[in-house]
Amino acid sequence: MSRGVRADSALRSDDVLSVSDLSTRFFTEEGQINAVESVSFDLRDNEILGIVGESGSGKSVTALSLIDLVESPGRITEGEVWYRNPGLAEEFRAADAVGVDGDHVDLRTVPPRLRRSLRGPSFSTIFQDPMSSFNPSITVGEQIAEAVEVQRRAKANPRSTRSRTQGYGLGQYLLDGIVPGRGYASEESTERAIELLEQVGIPDPAERVDEYPGEFSGGMLQRAMIAQALAGEPDVLIADEPTTALDVTIQAQILNLLREVQEERGMSIVLITHDLGVIAEMCDRVCVMYAGEVVERGTLDAVFDDSVHPYTEGLLGSIPDLEDPRPRLQPIEGNVPGLVDADMGDRCYFADRCPKAMESCLEKPTERVVDADAEHGAKCVLADRPYDPSEALPEDHFGGEAE
Amino acid sequence: MVSARVIRNLKKEFRNSALAKIGLLLVVGILFTAAFAPFIAPHDPTEQQLDQSELPPLGFSETTERTTSQMVDGEIQTVTETVEITPDAAHPLGTDSLGRDMLSRIVYGARTSLVVGVLGTLLAAFVGVPVGLFAGYHRGNVDDLLMRIADVSLAFPSLVLAVALIGLWGRAAVNVPDPFVVAGFASDMPESFVLPITVVIVVGLVNWVWFARVARGEALSLRGQEYVKASRALGADDTSIIWNHVLPNAITPIIVLATVQVAAIILLESSLSFLGFSGTTLSWGFDIAQGRDYISSGQWWIASLPGLAIMFSVIGINLLGDWLRDSLDPGIEGEGGAA
Amino acid sequence: MSDASEGAGVSGSDPLLSVEGLRKYYADDLSLIDRVLGAEAESVKAVDGVSFDVAEGETLGLVGESGCGKSTTGETVLRLREATEGRIAFDGEDLLEMTDAELTEFRKRAQIVFQDPFSSLDPRMTAGDIVTEGLRIHGISDRAERRETARDLLDRVGLSADQIDRYPHEFSGGQRQRIGIARALAVDPEFIVLDEPVSALDVSVQAQILNLLDDLQEEFGLTYLFIAHNLSVVRHICDRVAVMYLGEIVETGPVDEIFADPAHPYTEALLSSVPRVTTEDREAEFATLHGDVPSPRNPPAGCRFHTRCPEARAACRESSPPAYDVGERRSATCFRADAGHSYWESEPIEENARSAGEGADD
């Protein structure tokens, strides 16, 4: 177990979620793709944790892995996902097959059906594209009420997935088509849906509850998706690029809303984005991902102001600054690697683009502690010693690999 | 136009799909049969041997009641006796009512079907694809008009249209000399092969609509692509944009449609021959029409063997089309990029 | 002022591109039956009276949210779409009056680079063919020379000349964008419309492309019309900026001045909505706008922004403000720029400042 930046390796009581050494692979015809490789991080009570990276860095697959939604040909091959839930911990304390540590349970070891039943009441997700996340032929209200209903039934019978979806099979679906008004959601759930819509700032919720997703604007639909995610009153909200598809003024509205619901409900948010600005404005702690790995993590101040990894520095240098006119940008040369296992080699994955690559980078770096107080860690040799130009790799070391 | 990637995909899909293999086997078999018909057919398909009529295929024997009249003592006596007709090894698939060899007829029938199928499809594509691309690229009134015409001809039952056109023009057929026979090989085979021109034209005109619709749909979506806009910004005119950018990118669904159309046209040709409109007597459809009357009296093979030939060629071509579609479809190609 | 002896040469103060009162309306596509029944086509006012100049050698940013008409403007000034109304002059010539032959000449002088690095390259052409398409169209040089040009261009935009025979799918997003830039450069243009050229790219690659665009501008003396929604990028690359909202330009001027001291409440709101990449002075909440952008099918009467404007007053509902001069080469279409306007006496529109979204439902 590599808890790296932590002094002790024990789980903290304020960890809602503690992920260690999580790896997800895709087994495709082109070969094995290491989408997520040995990722570790913790999510605390009441915080917003940012995961930032470019496309193909594995940030979205990390999110899917947390809620066990990785689809074939992908598979979680390794790792532990500790989730704090005293009830579950008690239930499984005697079970040998299930990892239990204090109030935490290792979700990778509990039965899949149970894992599934945690989606909603424990973990909720919002995605980038609200348009494709709603069914266009069912009203927004009904879809939110459905989420409420699922949660209500789950509460009545917490350990069964069947009861929650009872009466919502294919037969019911066909019947609904013929006999209108036999909805799955009860009146109570619809009431609750209206309440939720109001909470996320949708005007005239009582009317809009009967509208179809096509009648909502992108920003409104993203609000509705947040309402749906809140239906189960989750401990953890996973927001995967929640504002990427939105205009900047709407993005600001949605970010304000997320912050508001986080504070009101005291939940924890994993915010996944490629936008360093969003991270800087929203997050308490941050993980920087590159080529499937978390290359640097720590508190926001530590990572942004005292960054150690040249990739983090490169990302920050790539962004034009709104306040500061016209410095020449310092981009990272080359392109993001393809993550095919066979091509990856056993070196620092960033070495071929790194301006400070040295001989020792040909060996895969482990995570080093930069500052234990800030929980600042980096997978880079520069955490231990300064850059030494005499050890620099020759420029053509990686040949034509870069471009 | 055919990149290495396309070839790689074709190979990959072929390896993975048993159906593709069956399809290719069937189609190659039929092509081979049609091309080398004079060498494969054991008899001249038009040669009538009345004394050998209605022979069943090998492995089947047939009992039939034969009525003979004889002069016995100045009176005509009618004797009905049950005789058993045994198959003859010289006619492995039997003979029809005029004693023509069924195997040879099916082998030669493949020529008619394939030629009509391929030429008809080409004609349909040559009419339909430009119309569709033009309509889809320009949109507006041109598009409205052309597509209304297409809708109307689609709404019209194709067989009725074919019958009407043949009624109008009559049945034209061209005799094409068989190169093998002319060159002196297989000299006992028919010297020429009848190409039913009318049928080709009719099926082409009936089926162009399908090509027009598919081409239009592709052109509609391609015209909005930024590389088309970029080409206009560089100063290209519409014709060269359609030729250089729209057609090459629309070609995949058109090829796939063409394979389906070949099969459909073979069926249409059979229907026309069955109704007696084709102008050739060497066609699977014609044989089915002929054999129809004999099914009730027990000579099932005359109609059903050409029927099977149609079935297998249609299946073969459709399987081939599925293979092409699966390997040319970029959606399938993109599967690997899951991460 | 230039004197007559400069003749055809472009004088320093004459704009290379001058757009006046440009309008582009899209009529709904009516079906044949609707037309027979005499239905009226409803039009979307994508661009509604836009005027701006681009001086030679400068970069004008056209910035706004999705649906504000910035891309339509970019394509209309290149006559990739036909303008409904207005005047576009390129180097003094009226673009909308050009004959086909003149237009073909114009196409060599003005080019465009698109946003989507995937749909902007024909997947069935090689990089070399794509880059030299313009040369083929205009019949410039023979096959061998074109190939040589293609190699040079690929090299110039930071690709390897050996990649000339590769197909687009073999390149990454950033590399494809370089090919798109090389294609535009091939005909040796003076003016390039850059339509969100870096929006689809990762930040590190985005920086590479922005640097490349900077270099090319200097090397070839290019004039850019840079269309973007990302204000930081605009700030980085543009000399002047025009902010668009619902088909109109609400504010225009030098980028430094506008970003330091926006005169229009919309510009101000846009700027305050951008998340800053800094750990200092984080605020509890973004100061941003309420509600959504109204539909361009039915834009609000009066000032188009009054439904979302935190400063809106009754006067904004009644008439739409003209463009007021607020500095040298700077203007804003807001009554607040006119100290003597009756706006200051009229009642504030209360709900805009308070409730979220309600004002947007006009």
Side-chain angles (χ1 to χ4, degrees):
Chain A
M1 215 198 276
S2 69
R3 296 206 169 275
V5 296
R6 283 259 199 86
D8 56 302
S9 71
L11 290 156
R12 285 167 47 151
S13 63
D14 61 347
D15 280 342
V16 186
L17 207 60
S18 174
V19 176
S20 83
D21 285 331
L22 186 72
S23 296
T24 303
R25 313 252 183 267
F26 284 81
F27 300 92
T28 68
E29 287 175 19
E30 280 84 48
Q32 178 185 329
I33 290 169
N34 301 341
V36 176
E37 196 168 319
S38 266
V39 161
S40 305
F41 60 85
D42 314 300
L43 180 67
R44 301 279 151 71
D45 277 331
N46 256 316
E47 77 165 354
I48 301 183
L49 172 74
I51 298 183
V52 64
E54 298 181 275
S55 55
S57 62
K59 55 190 193 303
S60 288
V61 181
T62 303
L64 294 177
S65 304
L66 289 182
I67 46 175
D68 200 24
L69 274 180
V70 179
E71 281 178 18
S72 174
R75 197 148 45 78
I76 302 170
T77 53
E78 228 180 299
E80 296 159 19
V81 179
W82 293 92
Y83 170 56
R84 189 187 64 204
N85 187 322
L88 275 181
E90 212 44 59
E91 193 179 326
F92 286 105
R93 204 172 298 282
D96 283 342
V98 178
V100 176
D101 183 350
D103 282 347
H104 290 77
V105 180
D106 180 5
L107 291 181
R108 299 292 319 141
T109 57
V110 304
R113 215 171 58 159
L114 178 63
R115 221 154 42 210
R116 224 163 26 239
S117 75
L118 292 174
R119 284 180 219 148
S122 298
F123 305 97
S124 269
T125 327
I126 52 177
F127 295 103
Q128 172 175 353
D129 182 7
M131 281 296 172
S132 64
S133 301
F134 279 95
N135 179 341
S137 60
I138 301 178
T139 63
V140 171
E142 207 171 316
Q143 294 183 58
I144 295 171
E146 188 188 311
V148 175
E149 188 78 7
V150 165
Q151 300 320 323
R152 269 180 5 111
R153 296 191 187 190
K155 280 216 181 85
N157 187 356
R159 288 288 167 264
S160 159
T161 32
R162 183 176 306 156
S163 68
R164 299 161 47 190
T165 45
Q166 196 176 25
Y168 206 63
L170 181 65
Q172 179 65 39
Y173 178 77
L174 292 173
L175 203 59
D176 284 347
I178 306 163
V179 191
R182 274 189 45 108
Y184 169 72
S186 64
E187 206 140 295
E188 260 169 78
S189 304
T190 312
E191 293 287 310
R192 176 86 182 115
I194 297 175
E195 241 176 81
L196 284 166
L197 283 177
E198 188 160 20
Q199 283 171 20
V200 297
I202 290 186
D204 312 318
E207 285 150 44
R208 305 218 67 165
V209 78
D210 290 326
E211 289 182 7
Y212 289 90
E215 297 170 77
F216 277 59
S217 68
M220 286 292 153
L221 217 47
Q222 193 60 281
R223 286 175 188 269
M225 188 145 72
I226 293 172
Q228 194 179 34
L230 296 178
E233 299 182 356
D235 304 338
V236 178
L237 179 69
I238 297 166
D240 187 358
E241 303 263 12
T243 58
T244 305
L246 306 174
D247 277 318
V248 49
T249 59
I250 311 294
Q251 159 169 298
Q253 293 173 5
I254 297 293
L255 293 179
N256 281 341
L257 175 65
L258 278 176
R259 207 139 51 179
E260 209 175 280
V261 295
Q262 190 266 325
E263 273 162 24
E264 262 170 32
R265 292 165 189 254
M267 56 181 186
S268 308
I269 297 182
V270 181
L271 179 63
I272 293 162
T273 178
H274 69 278
D275 189 332
L276 290 158
V278 171
I279 294 277
E281 296 273 4
M282 296 287 289
C283 298
D284 305 300
R285 291 186 307 132
V286 56
C287 299
V288 181
M289 286 193 74
Y290 181 77
E293 293 184 314
V294 172
V295 292
E296 184 158 12
R297 59 172 166 158
T299 59
L300 181 78
D301 290 345
V303 172
F304 273 49
D305 297 339
D306 304 313
S307 33
V308 168
H309 203 290
Y311 177 65
T312 315
E313 280 178 358
L315 269 189
L316 290 166
S318 304
I319 307 167
D321 193 340
L322 196 57
E323 319 289 343
D324 186 15
R326 293 235 171 200
R328 181 138 174 111
L329 299 176
Q330 299 295 324
I332 307 169
E333 295 306 323
N335 295 295
V336 182
L339 303 182
V340 178
D341 187 53
D343 305 340
M344 293 300 283
D346 202 22
R347 55 164 168 90
C348 170
Y349 295 157
F350 188 58
D352 58 339
R353 299 174 71 188
C354 185
K356 295 179 180 172
M358 296 186 285
E359 301 283 345
S360 46
C361 298
L362 297 176
E363 212 168 289
K364 209 169 151 106
T366 53
E367 187 173 52
R368 292 136 214 257
V369 180
V370 182
D371 174 2
D373 286 341
E375 296 177 77
H376 188 185
K379 282 189 181 170
C380 182
V381 292
L382 294 175
D384 294 341
R385 60 204 182 94
Y387 176 58
D388 180 356
S390 66
E391 284 181 52
L393 286 172
E395 272 201 12
D396 57 347
H397 179 83
F398 294 103
E401 233 174 277
E403 197 154 85
Chain B
M1 227 183 281
V2 179
S3 67
R5 174 178 50 134
V6 169
I7 292 168
R8 201 183 64 225
N9 268 327
L10 282 172
K11 283 184 185 158
K12 194 176 84 188
E13 282 294 319
F14 187 73
R15 272 198 305 277
N16 292 342
S17 157
L19 289 176
K21 288 171 194 151
I22 296 173
L24 192 72
L25 197 74
L26 284 170
V27 170
V28 167
I30 293 161
L31 280 174
F32 185 82
T33 310
F36 299 104
F39 305 108
I40 294 168
H43 301 274
D44 181 339
T46 54
E47 180 195 357
Q48 301 183 0
Q49 292 173 284
L50 290 174
D51 57 330
Q52 299 218 22
S53 68
E54 297 174 21
L55 290 179
L58 283 180
F60 296 90
S61 60
E62 189 67 21
T63 49
T64 188
E65 287 181 352
R66 187 168 288 174
T67 310
T68 45
S69 308
Q70 285 176 313
M71 285 289 269
V72 177
D73 306 332
E75 278 180 50
I76 298 173
Q77 275 196 346
T78 313
V79 181
T80 306
E81 51 178 347
T82 307
V83 269
E84 181 163 327
I85 306 175
T86 50
D88 183 341
H91 301 287
L93 293 184
T95 56
D96 69 0
S97 55
L98 296 173
R100 294 176 294 198
D101 180 49
M102 284 305 296
L103 176 59
S104 306
R105 291 191 67 78
I106 288 171
V107 166
Y108 268 86
R111 281 193 163 179
T112 314
S113 293
L114 275 185
V115 166
V116 173
V118 170
L119 288 184
T121 303
L122 284 179
L123 181 67
F126 272 110
V127 177
V129 171
V131 168
L133 290 180
F134 189 79
Y137 184 78
H138 287 281
R139 301 206 303 186
N141 291 336
V142 191
D143 183 34
D144 273 358
L145 183 72
L146 288 171
M147 285 304 118
R148 285 306 83 76
I149 295 174
D151 285 347
V152 169
S153 51
L154 207 60
F156 214 76
S158 54
L159 202 58
V160 175
L161 184 63
V163 170
L165 287 177
I166 288 170
L168 216 59
W169 297 336
R171 303 183 302 203
V174 174
N175 283 324
V176 183
D178 187 322
F180 296 118
V181 180
V182 172
F185 309 105
S187 52
D188 51 345
M189 289 292 154
E191 272 178 23
S192 63
F193 148 79
V194 183
L195 173 66
I197 291 280
T198 322
V199 175
V200 170
I201 293 174
V202 162
V203 295
L205 289 188
V206 165
N207 286 286
W208 71 273
V209 181
W210 297 108
F211 285 93
R213 291 180 78 96
V214 167
R216 171 179 176 269
E218 290 297 312
L220 266 183
S221 74
L222 290 170
R223 76 189 292 281
Q225 294 289 315
E226 286 182 345
Y227 56 79
V228 170
K229 276 192 217 161
S231 191
R232 283 177 54 209
L234 286 167
D237 56 35
D238 291 344
T239 321
S240 67
I241 288 176
I242 291 179
W243 184 249
N244 290 326
H245 294 293
V246 180
L247 180 62
N249 286 291
I251 203 77
T252 306
I254 292 173
I255 288 175
V256 173
L257 175 68
T259 62
V260 178
Q261 285 294 308
V262 171
I265 286 177
I266 287 177
L267 287 175
L268 184 58
E269 187 276 333
S270 302
S271 313
L272 292 173
S273 298
F274 179 85
L275 294 172
F277 288 111
S278 86
T280 175
T281 57
L282 252 184
S283 147
W284 293 337
F286 182 82
D287 280 355
I288 294 175
Q290 271 211 316
R292 178 184 47 166
D293 298 338
Y294 294 87
I295 290 174
S296 54
S297 58
Q299 288 82 7
W300 50 267
W301 59 91
I302 301 177
S304 48
L305 290 179
L308 281 178
I310 292 176
M311 192 181 90
F312 280 120
S313 42
V314 170
I315 289 176
I317 293 167
N318 278 329
L319 291 179
L320 203 67
D322 286 351
W323 168 49
L324 283 179
R325 186 198 59 213
D326 289 350
S327 19
L328 299 179
D329 185 5
I332 287 186
E333 193 187 326
E335 252 178 2
Chain C
M1 220 34 225
S2 62
D3 54 25
S5 64
E6 278 191 44
V10 183
S11 76
S13 58
D14 274 349
L16 180 65
L17 178 79
S18 168
V19 176
E20 251 181 73
L22 182 71
R23 282 170 216 279
K24 173 68 190 171
Y25 295 173
Y26 292 104
D28 274 353
D29 245 353
L30 287 182
S31 74
L32 210 58
I33 294 173
D34 283 341
R35 260 180 272 171
V36 170
L37 294 176
E40 288 264 331
E42 207 184 333
S43 62
V44 177
K45 296 169 177 163
V47 179
D48 204 7
V50 160
S51 306
F52 59 88
D53 290 341
V54 191
E56 197 175 344
E58 80 166 347
T59 303
L60 175 71
L62 210 50
V63 60
E65 295 179 277
S66 54
C68 71
K70 56 190 190 299
S71 288
T72 307
T73 305
E75 289 179 16
T76 312
V77 299
L78 291 186
R79 267 191 78 176
L80 291 176
R81 298 171 187 276
E82 291 304 321
T84 310
E85 212 184 292
R87 214 183 81 86
I88 305 167
F90 183 80
D91 199 6
E93 286 173 77
D94 190 337
L95 193 64
L96 302 179
E97 301 290 311
M98 279 186 182
T99 61
D100 282 356
E102 284 169 331
L103 197 61
T104 307
E105 273 313 295
F106 166 72
R107 298 253 179 256
K108 281 194 256 177
R109 303 180 61 188
Q111 273 304 308
I112 184 163
V113 173
F114 290 101
Q115 168 179 4
D116 183 356
F118 290 87
S119 97
S120 62
L121 307 181
D122 189 333
R124 301 199 183 238
M125 285 165 81
T126 61
D129 284 341
I130 291 169
V131 168
T132 53
E133 186 179 355
L135 302 179
R136 274 200 311 283
I137 289 167
H138 294 285
I140 303 168
S141 60
D142 64 25
R143 193 175 256 280
E145 284 168 7
R146 282 204 300 264
R147 206 172 154 80
E148 211 34 59
T149 315
R151 297 176 71 92
D152 287 350
L153 282 166
L154 288 178
D155 203 44
R156 185 60 207 85
V157 297
L159 293 169
S160 141
D162 302 334
Q163 292 169 317
I164 187 168
D165 290 320
R166 295 210 191 157
Y167 286 89
H169 72 268
E170 297 171 73
F171 293 95
S172 70
Q175 292 173 322
R176 283 158 165 259
Q177 204 57 301
R178 290 174 194 267
I179 297 175
I181 292 170
R183 168 175 61 194
L185 286 178
V187 290
D188 199 12
E190 297 150 52
F191 174 65
I192 301 183
V193 173
L194 301 161
D195 189 356
E196 303 251 15
V198 295
S199 309
L201 306 176
D202 278 319
V203 277
S204 66
V205 181
Q206 170 179 315
Q208 297 171 6
I209 300 293
L210 288 175
N211 281 347
L212 174 68
L213 289 171
D214 257 350
D215 296 345
L216 293 173
Q217 180 165 40
E218 204 164 301
E219 187 177 337
F220 297 104
L222 296 167
T223 305
Y224 289 153
L225 178 63
F226 192 98
I227 298 166
H229 68 271
N230 184 329
L231 292 155
S232 318
V233 170
V234 167
R235 166 76 161 165
H236 177 76
I237 201 163
C238 298
D239 303 306
R240 286 194 312 127
V241 62
V243 182
M244 285 187 77
Y245 183 77
L246 269 184
E248 295 179 338
I249 289 178
V250 296
E251 181 165 9
T252 169
V255 78
D256 296 340
E257 289 175 36
I258 285 195
F259 277 51
D261 176 28
H264 197 284
Y266 179 63
T267 316
E268 201 176 330
L270 271 186
L271 287 169
S272 72
S273 301
V274 179
R276 304 294 201 276
V277 192
T278 161
T279 54
E280 288 148 39
D281 49 69
R282 283 218 303 189
E283 278 155 41
E285 196 170 325
F286 290 101
T288 187
L289 297 171
H290 296 304
D292 281 328
V293 184
S295 158
R297 206 170 279 275
N298 187 16
C303 172
R304 293 198 172 176
F305 186 54
H306 85 256
T307 57
R308 298 175 80 197
C309 182
E311 309 285 353
R313 301 197 179 188
C316 306
R317 270 194 198 131
E318 274 134 40
S319 58
S320 60
Y324 294 102
D325 276 349
V326 289
E328 202 187 331
R329 296 193 79 192
R330 238 194 113 174
S331 69
T333 49
C334 180
F335 294 128
R336 294 170 64 80
D338 179 5
H341 195 268
S342 61
Y343 163 89
W344 298 103
E345 274 85 59
S346 68
E347 281 295 304
I349 302 176
E350 286 285 331
E351 68 260 30
N352 278 12
R354 287 184 286 107
S355 68
E358 273 171 8
D361 292 341
D362 275 35

